[in-house]
Amino acid sequence: MLKIASSQNKLIKSVKKLLIDSKYRHTSNLFVAETYRVIKQLIDNKQKCRNIIVRMDSKYLSQIKQLDKNGLNCVEVNNQIFNTLSSLENSDGVIGVFNSKKNELVIENNKKYILLDRIQNPINLGSIIRTSVALGINGIIITNNSVDITNQKVIKTSVGTCFNIPIKVITSLTDAINKLKTKGIRCYATSLNPNSTKLNDVVFQNGTCVIFGNEGTGLKEKDVKLCDETIYIPITNKVDSLNVNVACAIVMYQLCKN
């Protein structure tokens, strides 16, 4: 297994750029994943691995050496170099570089979808994606002013499942809602307003999309008005709202249980 001792190495410089530059991730068609568990999950799911970087004192060094023998391009680095690459406080010492795999979403009128508008927290987005895969959502639509799905924290939180579900990034929420409706998809906005229906009282059918807004501001009123129905999760008056990834999980469970 090759050892790299210089921070000016081409691979090291590329990984640093991939971590901070979403435009570079998209133009290079590459992304970075961290922790052995996530990397193994991606490899098992047939995601093309370009390189694995392992810290010299990682407890997974022997496993990475075996992957190197099996044909993956693995390199070993010292702690100083690895620490310039890792975004985690307590990293297990393994970073992978992968090719992005396109999993384009094609809307069908008998499926169940969620639409996410302006989600900013990568941990929220990663959690939502992982839950959607677990519950059987057929696809996710995300506005392009949300956090990038190839963000390392999104990938880590989703445990690599962000490539197990069709995802479409769109520029206009308003246009997306209108297009969904023309395809026979019933659109539900999540919003706390007097005209909203309790989630418990909604009977979801196939051909449904539930829309969730930004963590702080929710959905814009003009977009809520475009939807067929507005729904909310009843909670006690001791709490004013739920975190968006928790709200998504509750609604998606109800959406997919039938």
Side-chain angles (χ1 to χ4, degrees):
M1 184 166 64
L2 180 67
K3 293 185 179 182
I4 294 177
S6 171
S7 60
Q8 297 306 304
N9 176 272
K10 184 179 179 180
L11 173 61
I12 302 302
K13 292 172 74 173
S14 176
V15 171
K16 287 180 180 179
K17 191 171 183 180
L18 286 169
L19 285 167
I20 62 173
D21 189 338
S22 61
K23 185 176 180 180
Y24 178 58
R25 291 197 295 271
H26 288 285
T27 56
S28 65
N29 201 36
L30 299 172
F31 68 90
V32 173
E34 192 162 358
T35 75
Y36 180 77
R37 180 190 178 199
V38 172
I39 291 166
K40 185 69 165 54
Q41 179 79 26
L42 288 165
I43 292 172
D44 289 346
N45 287 333
K46 310 303 180 184
Q47 197 78 23
K48 174 65 175 176
C49 183
R50 294 281 294 268
N51 301 95
I52 295 179
I53 300 169
V54 60
R55 193 177 61 212
M56 60 191 302
D57 65 349
S58 171
K59 66 180 182 179
Y60 294 107
L61 183 59
S62 61
Q63 287 95 320
I64 301 305
K65 285 182 176 179
Q66 186 58 50
L67 290 175
D68 186 65
K69 290 179 181 177
N70 291 339
L72 290 180
N73 296 315
C74 305
V75 298
E76 182 182 340
V77 298
N78 60 37
N79 289 18
Q80 184 177 0
I81 291 176
F82 190 89
N83 289 340
T84 67
L85 304 177
S86 176
S87 61
L88 304 178
E89 283 189 22
N90 298 302
S91 173
D92 65 5
V94 187
I95 289 173
V97 180
F98 290 83
N99 281 107
S100 296
K101 182 172 66 176
K102 300 296 183 184
N103 197 356
E104 285 293 333
L105 174 61
V106 177
I107 300 296
E108 300 177 59
N109 62 11
N110 61 342
K111 303 293 185 181
K112 296 178 179 179
Y113 307 97
I114 60 170
L115 199 166
L116 307 173
D117 179 39
R118 296 170 294 131
I119 303 299
Q120 300 301 304
N121 187 318
I123 294 175
N124 281 340
L125 182 55
S127 297
I128 292 167
I129 293 171
R130 186 180 182 189
T131 303
S132 70
V133 173
L135 294 177
I137 291 292
N138 297 112
I140 302 173
I141 304 165
I142 305 175
T143 56
N144 66 346
N145 47 7
S146 300
V147 63
D148 180 23
I149 64 168
T150 61
N151 179 290
Q152 198 277 132
K153 289 184 179 178
V154 174
I155 293 166
K156 180 180 182 297
T157 308
S158 75
V159 198
T161 58
C162 47
F163 300 99
N164 290 358
I165 186 169
I167 293 175
K168 184 177 181 65
V169 178
I170 49 99
T171 56
S172 168
L173 177 61
T174 301
D175 288 348
I177 294 170
N178 285 328
K179 287 177 182 177
L180 286 165
K181 291 174 71 174
T182 62
K183 290 180 178 288
I185 305 294
R186 185 170 178 81
C187 294
Y188 292 84
T190 53
S191 178
L192 286 171
N193 71 49
N195 298 318
S196 294
T197 304
K198 285 184 182 181
L199 177 63
N200 320 50
D201 297 333
V202 179
V203 179
F204 292 112
Q205 305 294 331
N206 288 330
T208 294
C209 182
V210 183
I211 305 165
F212 302 87
N214 172 266
E215 290 95 334
T217 60
L219 292 169
K220 294 177 182 177
E221 187 59 30
K222 67 180 182 67
D223 294 315
V224 172
K225 289 179 179 178
L226 286 175
C227 294
D228 298 290
E229 192 170 346
T230 307
I231 61 175
Y232 76 99
I233 302 168
I235 56 176
T236 70
N237 58 11
K238 296 177 181 178
V239 177
D240 62 354
S241 64
L242 295 172
N243 184 288
V244 67
N245 77 65
V246 174
C248 277
I250 293 169
V251 174
M252 286 191 292
Y253 177 79
Q254 192 79 3
L255 175 60
C256 296
K257 74 177 186 178
N258 297 325

